[in-house]
Amino acid sequence: MSISSAISNAISGLTAVSRGTEVVSSNIANALTPGYARRELDLSPRLAERGGGVGLDGVSRAINAGLLADNRLAEADVGASTTLSTFHAAIERIFGTGTEASSLGQVLTAFDSALVSAASRPENEVRLGNVLGSATDLADKLNQISRAIQTERSSAEEAIRKDVSRLDAALGQVATLNKQIVSLAAQGKDVSALVDTRQAAIDGIAEIVPVKEVPRENGRIALFTSGGAILLDGSDPARITFDSVPGLTPEMTVGNGALTRLSFNGKPLTEGQMTMFGGGTIGANFAIRDELAPACQRQIDAFARDLYDRLSATNVDPSLNAGGPGFFTDAQAAFDAAQETGFAGRIAVTTRVDPAAGGDLWRIRAGINAAGPGNAGDSAVLGNLSAALAASRSPASTALSQTPRSLQTLSAELSSNAATKRVQAEATALQDSTHRVSLQTALLADGVDTDKEMEGLLALERAYSANAKVFQTANDMLDAILRLT
């Protein structure tokens, strides 16, 4: 080997060591940076005709594409299950459980106890007042549950709007990065940092909707949902829009046109096409708005109807008119079975028994439509009201099973169902989270290992010393030759 070749080899080695040190430093500095992929310096032997030594082929990103794809799908699963778990926990809280004084079952029990107490002393106005107070509490509890359900629907509606806005912004960012990567790659420049940024943007999309990345030419990528919707394949991303509606009520549905679904490239999606966006937080929030919350509303409306029906029967209170309201009303009117939706939010104690509204407490004892106070010691109506609550009968509403049971049993079923669904949702969320953690652990194992990077840095230090020694030796040889001349 000639002296010039030795110098050329040493210089190429020193250059490679310098670049390698930069790569290792970048890896260590960004070990915890989201979206960052470990860098590797690509080297190859240089031809002897070109002076020999080592050639720099560039810097490559070390990423396991299969693990990354699985992790993104896991992110969507976690986003969906966490959203649903939060919803079911909220529903359980509003129904209440066990012996909580504010639970539906305990409020109903308090009403029944007040009736029993008043029946033992029907002439006592304090006890009649307790019946009115507990009945009002029961109606208020049903109103509160109905409002809470609609609040959850409104929250889901707002969450959809925000997710669509985030999705639109992220797709625009990925499309811009695609163009920049293609442009810089054509100039022979390192695009690793841009690819990292693009990966982080796609990871953000994955929580909103399950997404799959497909490589295209010149470093570009295309994005599809797992349901088949084309989010990006070319220069421009898909246009996804959503018209949100504030303040949802039980009557508002997609079917009657009060609510909307997503629009894809200017066209509203049908119910079947919405499956393309199933999974992730968007899919979960649509499920809450259009399926889960309305199902809860139907159940509490059916419960309110059963309460109304039990206490408005003429055999319970002979003073009532057939088909008319009884102790409870639909906003002070008779209940219409065709208007059951939202009834829990409208149910109220009749003002005829409320002195604050111009009514009379004695009507609780004598009958809602009684002509006068009657016998102050007559507890027949009070006993009938309590017996009606305890009677085993089939609900008139089709939203509940037709198994005969008491109203207390029915309230316990509703609370138990809410608790069961919460437990199931939390179990699913935990399972999904554990799966995601295992995938992230595997990704980290393939990512930056600071110990290995430090080992590499020591190897580079030795390589630097060796190349510097060769360069110094060649320089000494040249000096010796010059001294001989």
Side-chain angles (χ1 to χ4, degrees):
M1 177 186 292
S2 65
I3 295 176
S4 60
S5 295
I7 293 175
S8 177
N9 284 342
I11 291 175
S12 68
L14 290 172
T15 302
V17 167
S18 175
R19 189 70 179 95
T21 303
E22 291 178 9
V23 170
V24 171
S25 299
S26 176
N27 285 340
I28 294 174
N30 293 282
L32 300 178
T33 302
Y36 182 83
R38 179 171 55 88
R39 308 287 198 265
E40 292 180 348
L41 184 62
D42 296 327
L43 304 174
S44 62
R46 202 163 58 180
L47 297 176
E49 302 87 74
R50 298 178 56 188
V54 62
L56 301 181
D57 297 333
V59 177
S60 60
R61 299 172 75 250
I63 190 74
N64 188 320
L67 274 177
L68 182 61
D70 290 342
N71 183 66
R72 285 171 177 166
L73 295 178
E75 286 284 356
D77 290 339
V78 169
S81 59
T82 300
T83 299
L84 295 178
S85 176
T86 301
F87 165 75
H88 286 298
I91 295 300
E92 182 192 28
R93 282 195 300 272
I94 192 61
F95 272 96
T97 57
T99 58
E100 294 177 0
S102 61
S103 69
L104 177 61
Q106 288 301 311
V107 174
L108 177 59
T109 298
F111 175 50
D112 187 33
S113 298
L115 287 172
V116 173
S117 176
S120 65
R121 293 284 302 277
E123 78 286 354
N124 190 313
E125 289 201 356
V126 172
R127 298 194 181 189
L128 294 177
N130 290 339
V131 172
L132 172 60
S134 59
T136 302
D137 289 342
L138 180 56
D140 288 346
K141 181 63 178 180
L142 294 175
N143 297 162
Q144 183 184 12
I145 292 175
S146 180
R147 286 195 301 270
I149 292 172
Q150 297 312 308
T151 296
E152 290 299 315
R153 292 185 75 205
S154 296
S155 296
E157 179 88 347
E158 177 63 12
I160 294 170
R161 183 192 67 78
K162 291 181 178 179
D163 281 346
V164 169
S165 178
R166 288 170 52 206
L167 178 60
D168 182 64
L171 288 175
Q173 182 184 11
V174 173
T176 299
L177 289 168
N178 262 351
K179 296 174 184 176
Q180 293 174 349
I181 289 169
V182 170
S183 175
L184 290 179
Q187 301 173 40
K189 296 182 179 179
D190 182 14
V191 296
S192 298
L194 291 177
V195 176
D196 285 342
T197 304
R198 185 176 67 185
Q199 179 178 316
I202 298 172
D203 290 344
I205 293 173
E207 181 187 7
I208 302 171
V209 62
V211 65
K212 294 183 177 180
E213 176 184 334
V214 178
R216 293 292 191 239
E217 71 284 350
N218 301 322
R220 289 190 308 109
I221 56 100
L223 294 177
F224 302 84
T225 68
S226 59
I230 303 173
L231 300 179
L232 174 65
D233 193 7
S235 58
D236 297 318
R239 290 181 294 105
I240 302 169
T241 57
F242 175 69
D243 296 325
S244 62
V245 179
L248 272 63
T249 63
E251 298 78 17
M252 297 172 69
T253 66
V254 175
N256 61 24
L259 301 177
T260 64
R261 301 188 181 98
L262 294 178
S263 291
F264 190 71
N265 290 327
K267 296 182 179 179
L269 297 179
T270 64
E271 182 178 358
Q273 291 171 332
M274 281 294 295
T275 58
M276 295 189 299
F277 290 87
T281 53
I282 278 187
N285 281 308
F286 270 112
I288 290 171
R289 191 197 71 172
D290 298 334
E291 300 171 22
L292 300 177
C296 293
Q297 184 70 53
R298 287 192 295 271
Q299 289 184 335
I300 198 62
D301 287 340
F303 178 89
R305 177 180 177 179
D306 196 37
L307 172 64
Y308 174 94
D309 289 345
R310 287 171 183 266
L311 304 189
S312 62
T314 54
N315 62 335
V316 173
D317 182 352
S319 73
L320 297 177
N321 300 319
F327 202 102
F328 291 95
T329 67
D330 185 351
Q332 302 307 318
F335 171 73
D336 181 357
Q339 303 297 322
E340 182 176 326
T341 301
F343 178 49
R346 305 189 304 269
I347 191 170
V349 176
T350 177
T351 56
R352 293 179 66 83
V353 302
D354 186 1
D360 305 292
L361 280 177
W362 55 260
R363 293 185 181 278
I364 299 175
R365 176 191 68 240
I368 301 300
N369 295 329
N375 181 4
D378 187 359
S379 63
V381 172
L382 289 168
N384 290 343
L385 291 172
S386 180
L389 296 179
S392 181
R393 52 169 282 176
S394 299
S397 175
T398 58
L400 298 171
S401 70
Q402 298 305 297
T403 303
R405 67 270 219 197
S406 68
L407 194 63
Q408 188 65 52
T409 300
L410 180 55
S411 71
E413 285 182 9
L414 295 182
S415 296
S416 177
N417 287 341
T420 299
K421 289 178 180 178
R422 188 267 304 166
V423 171
Q424 292 173 341
E426 287 183 349
T428 300
L430 178 60
Q431 179 180 346
D432 290 342
S433 180
T434 302
H435 180 221
R436 180 186 62 178
V437 168
S438 66
L439 290 172
Q440 289 178 338
T441 301
L443 277 173
L444 287 174
D446 277 350
V448 177
D449 184 332
T450 52
D451 291 338
K452 289 184 177 180
E453 295 298 328
M454 293 305 296
E455 289 177 8
L457 193 60
L458 290 174
L460 288 170
E461 183 180 355
R462 290 192 294 270
Y464 180 86
S465 298
N467 282 284
K469 187 66 175 176
V470 170
F471 189 84
Q472 182 62 49
T473 301
N475 185 64
D476 291 343
M477 292 173 67
L478 285 174
D479 287 345
I481 291 172
L482 289 174
R483 284 195 298 269
L484 290 175
T485 59

